[in-house]
Amino acid sequence: MTHRPVLTRTREELAAALADLKGTRALVMTMGALHKGHLQLVKRAKELGDHVVVTIFVNPTQFAPGEDFDAYPRTLDADMAALESVGADLVWAPSPEDAYPEPVDLSIDPGRIAHVLEGTARPTHFAGVALVCTKVVGLVRPDVALFGEKDAQQLAVLRHVFSQLDVPVRVEGVPIVRDTDGVALSSRNRYLLEDERVRARSLSKGLEAGREAAANGASAEQAVTAVLQVLETTGGIDVDYVALVDEGTFDILAGTPGVALVTEKDARPATMVEGGRACRILLAAKVGTTRLIDNLPVILEVERG
């Protein structure tokens, strides 16, 4: 049986509600406009903690001027109903003034991982993500925090930040949830027109082609090319980047022109698993006016000495 989550707005309300939760806490941070991907995070959180805390906050510090902060959908009533259906215990939905009671005059630079790919397209984005997530973890004090693998670079950034700052929380990645046509679930999918939605299916198909190429012994560069071939064949897709990265370090091994590859001097030890090197192939592209991101895990063959 599910129950309506307790809704809190202020820090004081949050602290009082947390005091009533005995046992371990699992945290899911969102900006609302919840879909099945978010709810899968909550379902996984229920497996990992005695209580699930969800935040709903459109964070202004991760939006640059001209981005869609004001237009981002706010659907708190629908979000609360959705969270009730999966058994969340507590929701914190603060105003910007509650989240940032003092003027923000500092930032967290997550290092080089935040200055490539999405960090190139949105230079201030990950500093804002790192700041708000560090603040929320400090307020909620969870045992585990869960993040979707769809935002793979964000997940890598937060793992790095929490490790570097000794933030006492375990980070758990949750696999991407896809619609029946293969399109990764995203709040931005609602902006796609019917014909654009059809073209958007090629993003996951391209990633699958890259993964299959890698499974058949292709190099990192050849896997990226396999993705691009699918997107180019489909047409009507404005590719921002395709890149293949090391899963553990996020070092970029191959990418489309303009993507900054890791140098031999800066490369960190490869993340090895059975079968080869654990990697992830990522892309960002515009379909119509809607910018989408997607990715898939890839095992890259490496030469053995």
Side-chain angles (χ1 to χ4, degrees), residues 19-92:
D20 292 333
L21 301 183
K22 308 304 180 185
T24 57
R25 298 171 187 165
L27 172 64
V28 175
M29 286 181 261
T30 82
M31 294 204 300
L34 302 183
H35 52 64
K36 291 180 181 178
H38 297 110
L39 301 186
Q40 186 60 38
L41 291 174
V42 176
K43 291 176 183 177
R44 178 59 176 153
K46 285 180 66 64
E47 298 173 355
L48 300 178
D50 296 320
H51 301 285
V52 178
V53 180
V54 178
T55 61
I56 297 175
F57 178 57
V58 184
N59 174 41
T61 67
Q62 67 192 65
F63 287 82
E67 291 187 339
D68 58 352
F69 173 75
D70 291 330
Y72 198 90
R74 275 83 165 170
T75 58
L76 183 59
D77 289 342
D79 293 342
M80 290 296 293
L83 291 171
E84 180 178 1
S85 73
V86 290
D89 297 285
L90 173 60
V91 172
W92 188 42

